[in-house]
Amino acid sequence: MLTAYQQRQQIFSRNMAELREQTVQTQSQINILTEKLQQESEQAKLQINDLTTVITQLEQKKGNSESKTEITSLIAEFKDLKQRQVCVEQFTTTANGSPKTEQFNTAIFYDIENLTMGRNNPNLNFSLKEIQTNLEKTTLVNKIAIQCAYADWSDSRLRLLKNEIQELGIEAIQIFDYSHKRNAADMQLAIDVMELAQSRPTLQVFVIVSGDGAFAALAKKLHEYGKTVIGCAYEGQINRILKSVCDRFIPIPAPHIQIPTPPRLV
């Protein structure tokens, strides 16, 4: 598994290098075009100033029909130049970084076993919809691009989550534990996060819905890639180190675990 991961890392590293080269070339072309447009804008300003001077002089001695015709023609040319100048300035502003439209900048990863608080007696008293809604309220999240939920979905007890997962557009990632000594879901989640961090530059916000302290190292690595990390977990169940390295923490209401009612004594 480690060898396969290293191979995938090499492939993604090459792809990222190609993307960076293409980005540099594109930005260079934009800079050249912007410079030309700025020069054209300056020329338009000079022509407008010259036309303004000529129109003023003609208006001072407008007496014959020839002067009036010339003034009308110059005014039309003046309006055309003014319009071109406005268009050039708008385009230049956009190329240099005008206000950006909202992007699909967020990926959310659900550690279902952590949410259910174990496998022996899983707690299902939580709302994925509520978690998503609280995340969308933060200023860091624009639009959600990817959502993945990791679990052994062959467990019949998790069928209660099926409708909500489908409704929210969450991809259910099937995980089979290869060993009781390590959590295969955590490993796969970390691998997927790092692959997306390298291959999808538009993804800037990574949400880890888990209180597992093993993800603290993942959060630190995401910071090295310039990404923002949001932690989301039960307030009393999140690892303190993970919480401290997250850029923001969003608590999940504590689950209401039903306690069996003791039988009535007759």
Side-chain angles (χ1 to χ4, degrees), residues 24 87 94 107 132 150 165 186 192 209 242:
V24 170
C87 292
T94 302
Q132 187 185 98
Y150 298 79
I165 282 179
D186 290 359
D192 291 348
V209 184
L242 173 59

Side-chain angles (χ1 to χ4, degrees), residues 67 82 84-85 90 97 99-100 114 134 159 174 178 181 184 212 242 252:
S67 295
K82 194 67 176 175
R84 285 174 58 193
Q85 182 190 12
Q90 288 177 345
K100 297 181 179 179
N114 191 268
N134 289 335
R159 290 178 183 172
Q174 174 61 43
Y178 303 105
K181 296 181 181 180
D212 194 334
L242 173 59
I252 301 174

Side-chain angles (χ1 to χ4, degrees), residues 167-178:
E167 177 187 346
L168 298 175
I170 301 173
E171 182 179 0
I173 307 296
Q174 174 61 43
I175 298 295
F176 296 100
D177 270 344
Y178 303 105

Side-chain angles (χ1 to χ4, degrees), residues 248-259:
R248 184 168 298 181
F249 172 70
I250 298 178
I252 301 174
H256 300 291
I257 302 176
Q258 295 181 350
I259 302 175

Side-chain angles (χ1 to χ4, degrees), residues 107-112 144 146-151 153 165 169-173 189 192 196 207 209:
I108 306 176
F109 301 86
Y110 302 87
D111 180 0
I112 297 299
I144 299 171
I146 296 173
Q147 295 188 84
C148 298
Y150 298 79
W153 295 105
I165 282 179
I170 301 173
E171 182 179 0
I173 307 296
L189 188 155
D192 291 348
L196 287 170
V207 182
V209 184

